[in-house]
Coordinates of all heavy atoms in Angstrom, one line a residue:
M171 N 95.9 103.9 113.6 CA 95.2 104.4 112.4 C 93.7 104.0 112.3 O 93.4 102.9 112.5 CB 96.0 103.8 111.2 CG 95.4 104.3 109.8 SD 95.6 106.1 109.5 CE 97.5 106.2 109.5
R172 N 92.9 105.1 112.2 CA 91.5 104.8 112.2 C 91.0 104.1 110.9 O 91.5 104.4 109.8 CB 90.8 106.3 112.3 CG 89.3 106.2 112.6 CD 88.8 107.6 113.0 NE 89.2 108.5 111.9 CZ 88.3 108.8 110.9 NH1 87.2 108.1 110.9 NH2 88.6 109.7 110.0
E173 N 90.2 103.1 111.1 CA 89.8 102.4 110.0 C 88.7 103.2 109.2 O 87.9 103.9 109.8 CB 89.1 101.1 110.4 CG 90.0 100.0 110.9 CD 91.0 99.5 109.8 OE1 90.5 99.4 108.7 OE2 92.2 99.4 110.1
I174 N 88.8 103.1 107.9 CA 87.7 103.8 107.1 C 87.0 102.8 106.2 O 87.6 101.8 105.9 CB 88.3 105.0 106.3 CG1 89.4 104.6 105.4 CG2 88.7 106.1 107.3 CD1 89.8 105.7 104.4
D175 N 85.9 103.2 105.7 CA 85.0 102.4 104.9 C 85.4 102.4 103.5 O 85.9 103.5 103.0 CB 83.6 103.0 105.1 CG 82.6 102.0 104.7 OD1 82.4 101.0 105.4 OD2 82.0 102.2 103.6
C176 N 85.2 101.3 102.8 CA 85.5 101.3 101.3 C 84.8 102.3 100.6 O 85.3 102.9 99.6 CB 85.3 99.9 100.8 SG 86.4 98.6 101.3
R177 N 83.5 102.5 101.0 CA 82.7 103.5 100.3 C 83.2 104.9 100.4 O 83.1 105.7 99.5 CB 81.2 103.4 100.7 CG 80.5 102.5 99.9 CD 79.0 102.4 100.3 NE 78.4 103.6 100.8 CZ 77.5 103.7 101.8 NH1 77.1 102.6 102.4 NH2 77.1 104.9 102.1
L178 N 83.8 105.1 101.6 CA 84.4 106.5 101.8 C 85.6 106.7 100.9 O 85.8 107.8 100.4 CB 84.8 106.6 103.3 CG 85.3 108.0 103.7 CD1 84.1 109.0 103.7 CD2 85.9 108.0 105.1
V179 N 86.4 105.6 100.7 CA 87.5 105.7 99.8 C 87.0 106.1 98.4 O 87.6 107.0 97.7 CB 88.3 104.4 99.8 CG1 89.3 104.4 98.8 CG2 88.9 104.2 101.2
E180 N 86.0 105.4 98.0 CA 85.4 105.7 96.6 C 85.0 107.1 96.4 O 85.2 107.7 95.4 CB 84.3 104.7 96.2 CG 84.8 103.3 96.0 CD 83.7 102.3 95.8 OE1 82.6 102.7 95.3 OE2 83.9 101.2 96.2
E181 N 84.4 107.6 97.5 CA 83.9 109.0 97.5 C 85.1 110.0 97.5 O 85.0 111.0 96.9 CB 83.1 109.3 98.8 CG 81.7 109.0 98.6 CD 81.0 109.1 100.0 OE1 81.3 110.0 100.8 OE2 80.1 108.3 100.3
K182 N 86.1 109.6 98.2 CA 87.2 110.6 98.4 C 88.4 110.5 97.4 O 89.2 111.4 97.3 CB 87.9 110.4 99.8 CG 86.9 110.7 100.9 CD 87.2 112.1 101.6 CE 86.3 112.4 102.8 NZ 86.4 113.8 103.2
V183 N 88.3 109.4 96.7 CA 89.6 109.2 95.9 C 89.8 110.3 94.8 O 90.9 110.6 94.5 CB 89.5 107.8 95.2 CG1 88.5 107.7 94.1 CG2 90.9 107.3 94.8
H184 N 88.7 110.8 94.3 CA 88.9 111.9 93.3 C 89.6 113.1 93.9 O 90.4 113.7 93.3 CB 87.6 112.2 92.6 CG 87.1 111.0 91.8 ND1 87.7 110.5 90.7 CD2 86.1 110.2 92.1 CE1 87.0 109.5 90.3 NE2 86.1 109.2 91.1
Q185 N 89.1 113.4 95.1 CA 89.7 114.6 95.8 C 91.1 114.3 96.1 O 92.0 115.1 96.0 CB 89.0 114.8 97.1 CG 87.7 115.5 97.0 CD 86.9 115.5 98.3 OE1 86.2 114.6 98.6 NE2 87.1 116.5 99.1
F186 N 91.4 113.0 96.4 CA 92.8 112.6 96.7 C 93.7 112.8 95.5 O 94.8 113.4 95.6 CB 92.7 111.1 97.2 CG 94.1 110.5 97.3 CD1 94.9 110.9 98.3 CD2 94.5 109.5 96.5 CE1 96.2 110.4 98.5 CE2 95.8 108.9 96.7 CZ 96.7 109.4 97.7
L187 N 93.1 112.3 94.3 CA 94.0 112.5 93.1 C 94.1 113.9 92.7 O 95.1 114.3 92.1 CB 93.3 111.6 92.0 CG 93.3 110.1 92.2 CD1 92.5 109.5 91.0 CD2 94.6 109.6 92.1
D188 N 93.1 114.8 93.1 CA 93.3 116.2 92.8 C 94.1 117.0 93.8 O 94.3 118.1 93.7 CB 91.8 116.8 92.7 CG 91.1 116.3 91.5 OD1 91.7 115.8 90.5 OD2 89.8 116.5 91.4
G189 N 94.5 116.2 94.8 CA 95.3 116.8 95.9 C 94.5 117.8 96.8 O 95.0 118.7 97.3
E190 N 93.2 117.5 96.9 CA 92.3 118.4 97.7 C 92.2 117.9 99.1 O 91.6 118.6 99.9 CB 91.0 118.5 97.0 CG 91.0 119.3 95.7 CD 89.7 119.2 94.9 OE1 88.7 118.6 95.5 OE2 89.6 119.7 93.8
L191 N 92.7 116.7 99.4 CA 92.6 116.3 100.8 C 93.7 116.8 101.7 O 94.8 117.1 101.2 CB 92.6 114.7 100.8 CG 91.4 114.0 100.2 CD1 91.6 112.5 100.3 CD2 90.1 114.4 100.8
S192 N 93.4 116.9 102.9 CA 94.5 117.3 103.9 C 95.5 116.1 103.9 O 95.2 115.0 103.6 CB 93.9 117.5 105.3 OG 93.6 116.3 105.9
E193 N 96.7 116.4 104.4 CA 97.7 115.4 104.4 C 97.3 114.2 105.2 O 97.5 113.1 104.9 CB 99.0 116.0 105.0 CG 100.2 115.2 104.7 CD 101.4 116.1 104.5 OE1 101.3 117.1 103.8 OE2 102.4 115.8 105.1
R194 N 96.6 114.5 106.3 CA 96.2 113.4 107.2 C 95.1 112.5 106.5 O 95.2 111.3 106.6 CB 95.6 114.0 108.5 CG 95.6 113.1 109.7 CD 95.1 113.8 110.9 NE 93.7 114.3 110.8 CZ 92.7 113.6 111.2 NH1 92.9 112.4 111.7 NH2 91.5 114.0 111.0
E195 N 94.2 113.2 105.9 CA 93.1 112.4 105.1 C 93.7 111.6 104.0 O 93.4 110.4 103.8 CB 92.1 113.3 104.6 CG 91.1 113.9 105.5 CD 90.1 114.8 104.8 OE1 90.5 115.7 104.2 OE2 88.8 114.5 104.9
A196 N 94.6 112.2 103.3 CA 95.3 111.5 102.2 C 96.1 110.2 102.7 O 96.1 109.2 102.1 CB 96.3 112.4 101.4
D197 N 96.6 110.4 103.9 CA 97.4 109.3 104.5 C 96.5 108.2 104.9 O 96.8 107.0 104.6 CB 98.1 109.8 105.7 CG 99.5 109.2 105.9 OD1 100.2 109.2 104.9 OD2 99.7 108.7 107.0
V198 N 95.4 108.5 105.5 CA 94.4 107.4 105.9 C 93.9 106.7 104.6 O 93.8 105.5 104.6 CB 93.2 108.1 106.6 CG1 92.1 107.0 106.9 CG2 93.7 108.7 107.9
L199 N 93.7 107.5 103.6 CA 93.2 106.9 102.3 C 94.3 106.0 101.7 O 94.0 104.8 101.3 CB 92.9 108.0 101.4 CG 91.6 107.9 100.6 CD1 90.4 108.0 101.6 CD2 91.4 108.9 99.5
R200 N 95.5 106.5 101.7 CA 96.6 105.7 101.1 C 96.7 104.3 101.8 O 96.9 103.3 101.3 CB 97.9 106.4 101.3 CG 98.3 107.2 100.0 CD 99.7 107.5 100.0 NE 100.1 108.3 101.1 CZ 100.2 109.6 101.0 NH1 99.9 110.3 99.9 NH2 100.5 110.3 102.1
H201 N 96.7 104.4 103.2 CA 96.8 103.2 104.0 C 95.7 102.2 103.7 O 96.0 101.0 103.6 CB 96.9 103.6 105.5 CG 98.2 103.9 106.0 ND1 99.0 103.0 106.5 CD2 98.9 105.1 106.0 CE1 100.2 103.6 106.8 NE2 100.1 104.9 106.5
H202 N 94.5 102.7 103.6 CA 93.4 101.8 103.4 C 93.5 101.2 102.0 O 93.4 100.0 101.8 CB 92.0 102.6 103.5 CG 90.9 101.6 103.1 ND1 90.2 101.0 104.0 CD2 90.4 101.2 101.9 CE1 89.3 100.2 103.5 NE2 89.4 100.3 102.2
I203 N 93.8 102.0 101.0 CA 93.9 101.5 99.6 C 95.0 100.5 99.5 O 95.0 99.5 98.8 CB 94.1 102.6 98.6 CG1 92.8 103.5 98.5 CG2 94.5 102.1 97.2 CD1 93.0 104.8 97.8
D204 N 96.1 100.8 100.2 CA 97.3 99.8 100.2 C 96.9 98.5 100.8 O 97.4 97.5 100.3 CB 98.4 100.5 100.9 CG 99.7 99.8 100.7 OD1 100.0 99.6 99.6 OD2 100.4 99.4 101.7
A205 N 96.1 98.5 101.8 CA 95.8 97.3 102.5 C 94.5 96.6 102.0 O 94.3 95.4 102.3 CB 95.6 97.5 104.0
C206 N 93.8 97.2 101.0 CA 92.5 96.7 100.6 C 92.6 96.5 99.1 O 92.5 97.4 98.3 CB 91.5 97.7 101.0 SG 89.8 97.2 100.4
A207 N 92.6 95.2 98.7 CA 92.7 94.9 97.3 C 91.5 95.4 96.5 O 91.6 95.8 95.4 CB 92.8 93.4 97.1
H208 N 90.4 95.3 97.2 CA 89.1 95.8 96.6 C 89.3 97.3 96.1 O 89.0 97.6 95.0 CB 87.9 95.6 97.5 CG 86.7 96.4 97.1 ND1 85.9 95.8 96.1 CD2 86.1 97.5 97.4 CE1 84.9 96.7 95.9 NE2 85.0 97.7 96.7
C209 N 89.7 98.1 97.1 CA 89.8 99.5 96.7 C 90.9 99.8 95.7 O 90.8 100.7 94.9 CB 90.1 100.3 98.0 SG 88.6 100.6 99.0
L210 N 92.0 99.0 95.8 CA 93.0 99.2 94.8 C 92.5 98.9 93.4 O 92.8 99.7 92.5 CB 94.2 98.2 95.1 CG 95.5 98.5 94.5 CD1 96.0 99.9 94.8 CD2 96.6 97.5 94.9
D211 N 91.7 97.9 93.3 CA 91.1 97.5 92.0 C 90.1 98.6 91.6 O 90.1 99.1 90.5 CB 90.3 96.2 92.1 CG 91.2 95.0 91.8 OD1 92.4 95.2 91.6 OD2 90.7 93.9 91.7
E212 N 89.3 99.0 92.5 CA 88.2 99.9 92.2 C 88.8 101.2 91.8 O 88.2 101.8 90.8 CB 87.3 100.1 93.5 CG 86.4 99.0 93.7 CD 85.3 98.9 92.7 OE1 84.7 99.9 92.4 OE2 85.1 97.8 92.1
T213 N 89.8 101.7 92.4 CA 90.2 103.0 92.2 C 91.3 103.1 91.1 O 91.5 104.2 90.5 CB 90.8 103.7 93.5 OG1 91.9 102.8 93.9 CG2 89.7 103.8 94.5
D214 N 91.9 102.0 90.9 CA 93.1 102.0 89.9 C 94.0 103.1 90.3 O 94.4 103.9 89.3 CB 92.6 102.1 88.4 CG 92.1 100.7 88.0 OD1 92.7 99.7 88.4 OD2 91.2 100.6 87.1
L215 N 94.3 103.3 91.5 CA 95.0 104.5 91.9 C 96.3 104.7 91.2 O 96.5 105.8 90.8 CB 95.2 104.4 93.5 CG 95.9 105.5 94.1 CD1 94.9 106.8 94.1 CD2 96.3 105.2 95.6
V216 N 97.0 103.7 91.2 CA 98.4 103.8 90.6 C 98.3 104.3 89.1 O 99.0 105.1 88.6 CB 99.2 102.6 90.8 CG1 100.6 102.7 90.1 CG2 99.4 102.3 92.2
D217 N 97.4 103.6 88.3 CA 97.2 103.9 87.0 C 96.7 105.3 86.8 O 97.2 106.1 85.9 CB 96.1 103.0 86.4 CG 96.7 101.7 85.9 OD1 98.0 101.5 86.0 OD2 96.0 100.8 85.5
A218 N 95.8 105.8 87.7 CA 95.3 107.1 87.6 C 96.4 108.1 87.8 O 96.5 109.1 87.1 CB 94.2 107.3 88.6
L219 N 97.3 107.8 88.8 CA 98.4 108.8 89.1 C 99.3 108.8 87.9 O 99.8 109.9 87.6 CB 99.1 108.3 90.4 CG 98.3 108.6 91.7 CD1 99.1 108.0 92.9 CD2 98.2 110.1 91.9
K220 N 99.6 107.7 87.3 CA 100.5 107.7 86.2 C 100.0 108.5 85.1 O 100.7 109.2 84.4 CB 100.7 106.2 85.8 CG 101.8 105.5 86.6 CD 102.0 104.0 86.1 CE 102.8 103.3 87.1 NZ 102.7 101.8 86.9
K221 N 98.7 108.3 84.8 CA 98.1 109.2 83.8 C 98.2 110.6 84.1 O 98.5 111.4 83.1 CB 96.6 108.7 83.7 CG 96.4 107.6 82.7 CD 94.9 107.2 82.6 CE 94.8 105.7 82.4 NZ 93.5 105.2 82.8
L222 N 98.0 111.0 85.3 CA 98.1 112.3 85.7 C 99.5 112.9 85.4 O 99.7 114.0 84.9 CB 97.8 112.5 87.2 CG 96.3 112.7 87.6 CD1 96.3 112.9 89.1 CD2 95.8 114.0 87.0
V223 N 100.5 112.1 85.8 CA 101.8 112.5 85.6 C 102.1 112.7 84.1 O 102.8 113.6 83.6 CB 102.9 111.5 86.2 CG1 104.3 111.8 85.8 CG2 102.7 111.5 87.8
K224 N 101.7 111.7 83.3 CA 101.9 111.7 81.9 C 101.3 113.0 81.3 O 101.9 113.7 80.5 CB 101.2 110.5 81.3 CG 101.9 110.0 80.0 CD 101.3 108.7 79.6 CE 101.7 108.3 78.2 NZ 101.0 107.1 77.8
R225 N 100.1 113.3 81.8 CA 99.4 114.5 81.3 C 100.2 115.8 81.7 O 100.3 116.7 80.9 CB 98.0 114.6 81.9 CG 97.1 115.4 81.1 CD 95.7 115.2 81.4 NE 95.4 115.5 82.8 CZ 94.3 115.0 83.5 NH1 93.4 114.2 82.9 NH2 94.1 115.3 84.7
S226 N 100.7 115.8 82.9 CA 101.4 117.0 83.2 C 102.7 117.1 82.6 O 103.3 118.2 82.4 CB 101.6 117.2 84.8 OG 101.6 116.0 85.4
C227 N 103.3 116.0 82.1 CA 104.6 116.0 81.4 C 104.4 116.5 80.0 O 105.3 117.2 79.4 CB 105.2 114.7 81.4 SG 105.9 114.2 83.0
T228 N 103.3 116.2 79.3 CA 103.1 116.7 78.0 C 102.4 118.0 77.9 O 102.2 118.6 76.9 CB 102.2 115.7 77.2 OG1 101.1 115.5 78.0 CG2 103.0 114.4 76.9
C229 N 102.1 118.6 79.1 CA 101.4 119.8 79.2 C 102.2 120.9 80.0 O 102.1 120.9 81.2 CB 100.0 119.6 79.9 SG 99.0 121.1 80.0
P230 N 103.0 121.6 79.3 CA 103.9 122.5 80.0 C 103.3 123.5 81.1 O 104.0 123.7 82.1 CB 104.5 123.4 78.9 CG 104.3 122.5 77.7 CD 103.1 121.7 77.9
P231 N 102.1 123.9 80.9 CA 101.5 124.8 81.9 C 101.3 124.2 83.3 O 101.0 124.9 84.2 CB 100.2 125.3 81.4 CG 100.3 125.1 79.9 CD 101.2 123.9 79.8
A232 N 101.4 122.9 83.4 CA 101.2 122.2 84.7 C 102.2 122.8 85.7 O 103.4 122.7 85.4 CB 101.3 120.7 84.6
P233 N 101.8 123.2 86.8 CA 102.7 123.8 87.8 C 103.7 122.8 88.3 O 103.3 121.6 88.6 CB 101.8 124.3 88.9 CG 100.4 124.2 88.4 CD 100.4 123.2 87.3
A234 N 104.9 123.1 88.5 CA 105.9 122.2 88.9 C 105.6 121.6 90.3 O 105.8 120.5 90.6 CB 107.3 122.9 89.0
A235 N 105.0 122.5 91.1 CA 104.6 122.0 92.5 C 103.6 120.9 92.4 O 103.7 119.9 93.2 CB 104.0 123.2 93.3
L236 N 102.6 121.0 91.5 CA 101.7 120.0 91.4 C 102.3 118.7 90.9 O 102.0 117.6 91.5 CB 100.6 120.4 90.3 CG 99.5 119.3 90.0 CD1 98.7 119.0 91.3 CD2 98.7 119.8 88.8
R237 N 103.2 118.7 90.0 CA 103.9 117.6 89.4 C 104.7 116.9 90.6 O 104.6 115.7 90.8 CB 104.8 117.9 88.3 CG 105.2 116.7 87.5 CD 105.5 117.1 86.1 NE 106.6 118.0 86.0 CZ 106.8 119.0 85.1 NH1 106.0 119.0 84.1 NH2 107.8 119.8 85.1
L238 N 105.4 117.7 91.3 CA 106.1 117.2 92.5 C 105.2 116.4 93.4 O 105.6 115.3 93.9 CB 106.8 118.3 93.2 CG 108.2 118.6 92.8 CD1 108.8 119.8 93.7 CD2 109.1 117.4 93.1
R239 N 104.0 117.0 93.7 CA 103.1 116.4 94.7 C 102.6 115.0 94.1 O 102.6 114.1 94.8 CB 101.9 117.3 94.9 CG 101.2 117.0 96.1 CD 100.2 118.1 96.5 NE 99.3 118.3 95.4 CZ 98.6 119.4 95.2 NH1 98.8 120.4 96.1 NH2 97.7 119.6 94.3
I240 N 102.3 115.0 92.8 CA 101.9 113.7 92.2 C 103.0 112.7 92.3 O 102.8 111.5 92.7 CB 101.4 113.9 90.8 CG1 100.2 114.8 90.8 CG2 101.2 112.6 90.1 CD1 99.9 115.4 89.4
V241 N 104.2 113.1 92.0 CA 105.3 112.2 92.0 C 105.5 111.6 93.4 O 105.7 110.5 93.6 CB 106.6 112.8 91.5 CG1 107.8 112.0 91.7 CG2 106.5 113.1 89.9
S242 N 105.4 112.5 94.4 CA 105.7 112.0 95.8 C 104.5 111.1 96.2 O 104.8 110.2 97.0 CB 105.8 113.2 96.7 OG 104.6 113.7 97.0
Q243 N 103.3 111.3 95.7 CA 102.2 110.4 96.0 C 102.5 109.0 95.4 O 102.3 108.0 96.1 CB 100.9 110.9 95.4 CG 100.3 112.0 96.3 CD 99.0 112.6 95.7 OE1 98.7 112.3 94.6 NE2 98.3 113.3 96.5
I244 N 103.0 109.0 94.2 CA 103.3 107.7 93.6 C 104.4 107.0 94.3 O 104.3 105.8 94.6 CB 103.7 107.9 92.1 CG1 102.5 108.3 91.3 CG2 104.4 106.7 91.6 CD1 102.9 108.6 89.8
K245 N 105.4 107.7 94.7 CA 106.5 107.1 95.5 C 106.0 106.6 96.8 O 106.4 105.4 97.2 CB 107.6 108.2 95.8 CG 108.6 108.4 94.7 CD 109.6 109.4 95.1 CE 110.5 109.6 93.8 NZ 111.2 110.9 94.0
T246 N 105.1 107.3 97.5 CA 104.5 106.8 98.7 C 103.8 105.5 98.5 O 103.9 104.5 99.2 CB 103.6 107.8 99.4 OG1 104.3 109.1 99.3 CG2 103.3 107.5 100.8
V247 N 102.9 105.5 97.5 CA 102.2 104.2 97.1 C 103.1 103.1 96.9 O 103.0 102.0 97.4 CB 101.2 104.5 96.0 CG1 100.7 103.2 95.5 CG2 100.1 105.5 96.3
T248 N 104.1 103.3 96.0 CA 105.0 102.3 95.7 C 105.8 101.7 96.9 O 105.9 100.6 97.1 CB 106.1 102.8 94.6 OG1 105.4 103.5 93.6 CG2 106.9 101.7 94.1
V249 N 106.3 102.7 97.7 CA 107.1 102.3 98.9 C 106.2 101.4 99.8 O 106.6 100.4 100.3 CB 107.7 103.5 99.6 CG1 108.2 103.1 101.0 CG2 108.8 104.1 98.7
T250 N 105.0 101.9 100.1 CA 104.2 101.2 101.0 C 103.8 99.8 100.5 O 103.8 98.8 101.2 CB 102.8 101.9 101.3 OG1 102.8 103.1 100.6 CG2 102.7 102.3 102.8
R251 N 103.6 99.7 99.2 CA 103.3 98.4 98.6 C 104.5 97.5 98.7 O 104.3 96.3 99.0 CB 102.9 98.5 97.1 CG 101.6 99.4 97.0 CD 101.0 99.1 95.6 NE 100.6 97.7 95.5 CZ 100.1 97.2 94.4 NH1 100.1 97.9 93.3 NH2 99.8 95.9 94.3
F252 N 105.7 97.9 98.5 CA 106.8 97.1 98.6 C 107.1 96.6 100.0 O 107.8 95.7 100.3 CB 108.0 97.8 98.0 CG 108.1 97.7 96.6 CD1 106.9 97.7 95.8 CD2 109.3 97.5 95.9 CE1 106.9 97.6 94.4 CE2 109.4 97.4 94.5 CZ 108.2 97.5 93.8
D253 N 106.5 97.4 101.0 CA 106.7 97.1 102.4 C 106.0 95.8 102.8 O 106.3 95.3 103.9 CB 106.3 98.2 103.3 CG 107.4 99.1 103.6 OD1 108.6 98.8 103.2 OD2 107.2 100.2 104.3
L254 N 105.0 95.4 102.0 CA 104.1 94.3 102.5 C 104.8 93.1 102.9 O 105.6 92.5 102.1 CB 103.1 94.0 101.4 CG 101.9 95.1 101.2 CD1 101.1 94.8 100.0 CD2 101.1 95.1 102.5
Ligands
ZN34 ZN1 88.6 99.1 100.8

């Protein structure tokens, strides 16, 4: 796994949350955030994802595919964190 810079994570995290990154990029980002307490704090990734899910649950027009993608991202984050 190629190492990436904390600043790159900060730049990319919004695209990540919007699901705009390629699967490979998102994976690299997830791995870094999971291993880097600084980025986890900075990005509040899990909180942000939870808010996104909450928003799509109270907002019926949110496409089911998007909600599925967000949920699977949360699962991946949770599973990787528990692996530590
Ligand atoms: Zn970092």
Side-chain angles (χ1 to χ4, degrees):
M171 183 62 63
R172 195 164 56 88
E173 288 295 320
I174 57 168
D175 195 72
C176 289
R177 268 181 36 215
L178 187 69
V179 172
E180 284 172 35
E181 272 171 38
K182 295 258 184 189
V183 72
H184 297 288
Q185 284 170 274
F186 174 66
L187 292 175
D188 289 342
E190 284 168 9
L191 294 181
S192 73
E193 200 146 310
R194 203 173 62 89
E195 280 182 306
D197 215 47
V198 172
L199 224 69
R200 263 199 303 264
H201 273 267
H202 178 95
I203 292 167
D204 192 53
C206 178
H208 169 76
C209 282
L210 195 59
D211 271 8
E212 282 294 305
T213 59
D214 281 330
L215 182 68
V216 176
D217 277 355
L219 285 174
K220 278 179 188 162
K221 272 177 212 155
L222 272 180
V223 170
K224 210 171 168 186
R225 200 163 61 198
S226 30
C227 286
T228 52
C229 180
L236 175 67
R237 197 156 58 209
L238 264 178
R239 198 167 61 200
I240 293 166
V241 168
S242 79
Q243 280 176 348
I244 287 179
K245 276 184 187 154
T246 314
V247 169
T248 313
V249 168
T250 2
R251 294 199 65 187
F252 277 39
D253 267 357
L254 283 175

